[in-house]
Amino acid sequence: MNQEDFNNLQKEGAERVRVLQHDLWRLSQMGGKEGSWRKREAEDLSEEVQKRLHRLQHPHNCATAKKLICNLDVGCGFGCQFHRLIHCFMAAYGKNRTLIVNSAGWRYSPNGWETVFQPFSETCTNFSMKNVTNWPGTSDSQAVRFPPFYTMIPRPENLPLAIPKDISKRLIRLHGHPGVWWVGQFIKYLFRFQPYMQEMIDKTEKSIQFQHPIVGVHVRRTDKYIEASLHNVEEYMEQVEEYFAGLQIFNPNVTRRIYLSSDEPKVYEEVKKKYPHYKVLYQKKQVEVVHENTRYTLASLKDLIMDIYFLARSDYIVLTFSSNTGRLVYEMMQFLHPDASANFYSLDDTYFSHSQRPNFCRMRFSHQDRRANITIEEGKMWMLPSWFHNFRNDQYLPYKRSGKTTVMIPLYKLENLVDIVNLDSP
């Protein structure tokens, strides 16, 4: 087989997959009731969780309420800081303590979190330094100070990707990635804008004519080389093309539209030049070129917040999960759709959370390695190695038996296990 024949075979295989996806979609629409149930159940479950978080943040008596203090002084970017807040909020939920965030002198705005976001509570925001003890404190501690990411000893039992037992059955039935849905609910509560900020977003949405279908593309450049490999524009757009090729089966005249986010101005011109058949939407940034002296400013923060807002409202996203911003967008998508767990393509890692709990997987089917003459039986469970983030894009998981040969297990024979913990709801 020559190269041309091989390329044609690949294209035919991809087209067969798209047709199969089309048939599966038609099958899912036949009943009708399943889709309406899922939408209603997602709304009901989200409403229940939001009520819990509101009760936690609005105790009957703030003076006597037990509190968890979280300092927003992490020396990293917004996505990283936001995930720090999620850890704090989850720890507060697990301990049934009202979260108090100290954001004075925030590197993005000296006036703190409430410059752009609504307060964590309207009734309980103060605490006394006299009664603050270090984590984990005791059940009698009036206020406990939560430590940074890497000094959480002991670590909270309900860190991602754990979900509460009392809603686990409903959530597992509802969503393809329950742990991400649960994270998304904390973001939903936190990501509430001040009226002026929401007005800016609404005006931008009209001015750029944000419409569906649309793919969100996040190309991180200026600081990305420090922590992960760079990817060229063609790598992102290859996945975008694949997504719209699938939509063309439903609608041959579908408009190819992307919302593009990048901290490198040249990316916008490059995409428009190389892909003239696409409508490229983006917001005109207040800070066009992000350097160290402009990255941590209020103007830069507003630009980033608007990008996150529109990326999360896309139908599909292409990005890198090595980026905190990329993972934040994916988490936000989960409360904007009944189930957006599969609406992404990451060019590097699969989804993960820093300091997450151990992740276990199980064999869905037995697997025989004919070279090593080893069989891994159905139902076998083990903990995934901490470095193995690329569970989506890799094809095999290396499994090393004690003192024996490493067996390469196809990922389609594995399933991630949902981490369920007992929690007393507020």
Side-chain angles (χ1 to χ4, degrees), residues 353-368:
S353 174
H354 284 298
S355 303
Q356 73 181 41
R357 286 166 56 87
N359 191 14
F360 289 85
C361 66
R362 176 170 56 199
M363 294 292 299
R364 298 173 58 215
F365 309 98
S366 63
H367 175 68
Q368 182 177 11

Side-chain angles (χ1 to χ4, degrees), residues 338-361:
D339 184 358
S341 58
N343 296 12
F344 77 96
Y345 191 93
S346 169
L347 295 181
D348 49 23
D349 293 344
T350 192
Y351 175 81
F352 69 97
S353 174
H354 284 298
S355 303
Q356 73 181 41
R357 286 166 56 87
N359 191 14
F360 289 85
C361 66

Side-chain angles (χ1 to χ4, degrees), residues 30-70:
M30 283 182 174
K33 294 182 180 180
E34 177 68 16
S36 60
W37 167 85
R38 188 175 300 278
K39 185 176 184 296
R40 185 174 62 255
E41 175 69 353
E43 292 172 351
D44 291 347
L45 194 54
S46 178
E47 182 180 0
E48 180 177 329
V49 173
Q50 293 304 305
K51 286 180 179 179
R52 292 182 184 185
L53 298 180
H54 187 270
R55 284 197 300 269
L56 183 69
Q57 291 304 107
H58 298 82
H60 293 299
N61 189 336
C62 181
T64 59
K66 302 294 177 64
K67 303 177 179 71
L68 185 80
I69 313 303
C70 181

Side-chain angles (χ1 to χ4, degrees), residues 267-310:
V267 169
Y268 298 95
E269 294 306 317
E270 182 180 0
V271 171
K272 287 192 290 184
K273 182 178 179 180
K274 291 181 176 179
Y275 301 91
H277 55 299
Y278 273 85
K279 287 189 175 182
V280 182
L281 279 56
Y282 56 92
Q283 56 138 337
K284 182 172 176 56
K285 290 180 167 52
Q286 298 178 57
V287 180
E288 291 191 357
V289 182
V290 180
H291 298 300
E292 282 307 306
N293 61 333
T294 59
R295 184 179 302 280
Y296 301 108
T297 61
L298 181 57
S300 179
L301 175 64
K302 291 176 181 178
D303 285 342
L304 179 56
I305 287 173
M306 281 207 275
D307 274 345
I308 291 172
Y309 180 92
F310 292 118

Side-chain angles (χ1 to χ4, degrees), residues 17 143 171 187 191 226 229 243 284 293 327 329 347 349 352 372 382 404:
V17 169
L171 185 49
I187 298 174
F191 223 79
I226 299 173
S229 300
Y243 176 79
K284 182 172 176 56
N293 61 333
R327 297 196 303 279
V329 168
L347 295 181
D349 293 344
F352 69 97
W382 68 92
K404 297 184 179 181

